[in-house]
């Protein structure tokens, strides 16, 4: 059987042989999976996957038009649909085209008409829950692959650190900083517990004539057990703070900076990792 391809008069983009500007074929494949997993028009959710870095919503919209073979996406907004079947059907439909894409030559659709289109599209092209779950699993697998590739790139850079000059190290730091933001996006560091208030100094005993008093002390003395608990709490807070500082130091050293330089940056910025990285970016040239 002869392999199908663009017909005379059809735009190549209708068949997705030429991605939109700024898209590679790999990007198009990822977008296609994301559309079927998350839904057409779910641009923010698609960008939040981190699989299409640097892409703008307008770029996603334009490439989706090419994938579907039509200009208007109103009939599919919010739906997980079979992208290939829609493009295949659009390639056979008669109608006015612009840039190879079918366009709506009738009146602008109102709310009721758009709702009708979406119901028809869901009935004809909608994916089952099992199919949607499969595409969501594929997205998760792609995330793991991308993260693995980034780690391999970081490791390959780390092997060349000794031969890098300062400009190259700064450029590497920028890339590592971007990766660090992705890795720590959902990470919430534990908040340090408030430090225990210092105990009031006990007043020296004053000799007085012994007498029987009917008044009770308004401030009872702290027991040894209470003092031990307060001391243990202070030790715990100190240990937690030390762990955070150590992790921050190791993170910067892993970026290729010497330990002394990393320590200086942290001390200058009260051991706040992000501030320390910004300080290094400004001062290393």
């Amino acid at each position: 059987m002869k392999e199908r391809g663009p017909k005379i008069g059809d735009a190549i983009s209708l068949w997705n042989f030429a991605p939109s500007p700024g898209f590679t074929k790999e990007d198009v494949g990822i977008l296609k999976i994301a559309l079927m997993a998350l839904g057409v028009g779910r641009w923010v959710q698609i960008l939040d996957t981190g699989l299409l870095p640097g892409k703008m919503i307008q770029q996603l919209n334009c490439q989706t038009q090419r994938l579907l073979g039509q200009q208007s996406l109103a009939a599919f907004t919010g739906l997980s649909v079979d992208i290939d079947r829609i493009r295949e059907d659009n390639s056979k439909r008669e109608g006015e085209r612009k840039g190879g894409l079918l366009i709506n030559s009738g009146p602008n659709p109102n709310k009721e008409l758009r709702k009708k289109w979406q119901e028809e599209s869901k009935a004809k092209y909608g994916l089952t829950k099992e199919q949607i779950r499969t595409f969501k699993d594929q997205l998760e697998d792609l995330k793991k692959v991308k993260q693995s590739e980034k780690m391999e790139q970081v490791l390959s850079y780390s092997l060349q650190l000794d031969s890098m000059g300062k400009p190259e190290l700064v450029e590497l730091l920028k890339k590592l900083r971007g990766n660090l933001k992705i890795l720590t996006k959902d990470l919430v560091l534990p908040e340090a517990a408030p430090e225990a208030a210092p105990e009031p100094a006990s007043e020296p005993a004053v000799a007085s004539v012994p007498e029987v008093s009917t008044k009770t002390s308004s401030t009872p003395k702290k027991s040894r057990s209470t003092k031990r608990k307060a001391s243990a709490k202070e030790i715990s807070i100190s240990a937690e703070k030390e762990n955070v500082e150590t992790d921050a130091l190791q993170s910067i050293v892993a970026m290729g900076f010497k330990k002394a330089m990393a320590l200086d940056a942290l001390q200058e910025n009260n051991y706040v990792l992000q501030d320390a990285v910004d300080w290094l970016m400004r001062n290393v040239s």
Side-chain angles (χ1 to χ4, degrees):
M1 182 181 291
K2 186 178 179 181
E3 185 177 352
R4 298 196 62 188
K7 301 174 185 177
I8 296 175
D10 278 353
I12 294 179
S13 60
L14 177 62
W15 293 85
N16 194 33
F17 292 161
S20 297
F23 272 79
T24 64
K25 289 191 175 182
E26 180 185 5
D27 292 336
V28 174
I30 291 173
L31 175 59
K32 180 179 171 183
I33 293 173
L35 291 169
M36 292 189 283
L38 304 175
V40 175
R42 306 290 191 188
W43 310 129
V44 175
Q45 292 90 326
I46 291 173
L47 291 176
D48 282 346
T49 65
L51 294 171
L52 294 168
K55 298 295 184 290
M56 307 294 288
I57 287 178
Q58 184 60 32
Q59 289 178 294
L60 299 183
N61 186 80
C62 290
Q63 184 60 55
T64 301
Q65 290 175 339
R66 293 188 178 212
L67 282 170
L68 296 175
Q70 68 181 68
Q71 194 174 71
S72 174
L73 304 181
F76 313 108
T77 301
L79 301 179
S80 294
V81 289
D82 190 326
I83 302 295
D84 291 332
R85 281 185 59 207
I86 296 171
R87 186 174 68 251
E88 177 70 15
D89 287 351
N90 279 335
S91 70
K92 301 173 183 176
R93 284 175 57 189
E94 296 293 334
E96 186 177 352
R97 296 181 184 272
K98 184 177 181 180
L101 305 177
L102 279 171
I103 64 173
N104 175 36
S105 55
N108 291 329
N110 54 29
K111 184 177 180 181
E112 289 73 22
L113 185 55
R114 285 196 298 268
K115 183 179 180 182
K116 180 184 176 183
W117 285 353
Q118 289 176 355
E119 289 174 350
E120 292 174 349
S121 297
K122 185 174 182 180
K124 187 174 183 179
Y125 302 111
L127 301 177
T128 65
K129 291 183 178 179
E130 291 74 19
Q131 289 173 317
I132 294 173
R133 170 48 55 192
T134 298
F135 288 118
K136 286 185 175 180
D137 290 341
Q138 289 182 22
L139 275 185
E140 292 302 317
D141 291 340
L142 284 170
K143 288 181 185 178
K144 293 176 182 177
V145 171
K146 286 283 186 180
Q147 192 56 53
S148 176
E149 290 175 352
K150 287 178 181 177
M151 292 305 297
E152 289 178 3
Q153 185 181 25
V154 169
L155 290 174
S156 67
Y157 275 125
S158 65
L159 296 176
Q160 306 169 20
L161 288 178
D162 292 340
S163 60
M164 285 184 176
K166 285 186 178 180
E168 293 170 312
L169 285 172
V170 171
E171 186 62 30
L172 172 59
L173 177 59
K174 290 179 181 178
K175 293 181 180 179
L176 291 174
R177 185 183 179 192
N179 291 342
L180 182 62
K181 285 184 177 179
I182 295 173
L183 290 170
T184 59
K185 181 174 64 175
D186 300 320
L187 180 64
V188 179
L189 292 175
E191 294 184 2
E195 296 185 5
E199 298 179 15
S202 56
E203 296 181 0
V206 179
S208 60
V209 178
E211 62 177 353
V212 177
S213 173
T214 59
K215 296 182 180 180
T216 58
S217 173
S218 60
T219 306
K221 294 183 178 180
K222 292 187 178 180
S223 65
R224 292 183 178 179
S225 175
T226 303
K227 291 181 179 179
R228 282 197 297 270
K229 288 181 180 178
S231 177
K233 186 176 182 180
E234 291 174 356
I235 292 173
S236 175
I237 293 171
S238 177
E240 184 177 357
K241 183 178 180 182
E242 183 177 348
N243 288 338
V244 172
E245 293 176 355
T246 302
D247 291 343
L249 179 61
Q250 291 176 349
S251 297
I252 296 179
V253 171
M255 295 178 187
F257 289 94
K258 294 181 180 179
K259 186 175 181 180
M261 186 183 297
L263 193 57
D264 286 344
L266 287 169
Q267 290 174 347
E268 282 287 333
N269 295 277
N270 296 321
Y271 286 86
V272 177
L273 177 58
Q274 189 62 59
D275 292 346
V277 171
D278 291 339
W279 185 88
L280 284 167
M281 292 287 290
R282 291 193 304 268
N283 289 278
V284 175
S285 59

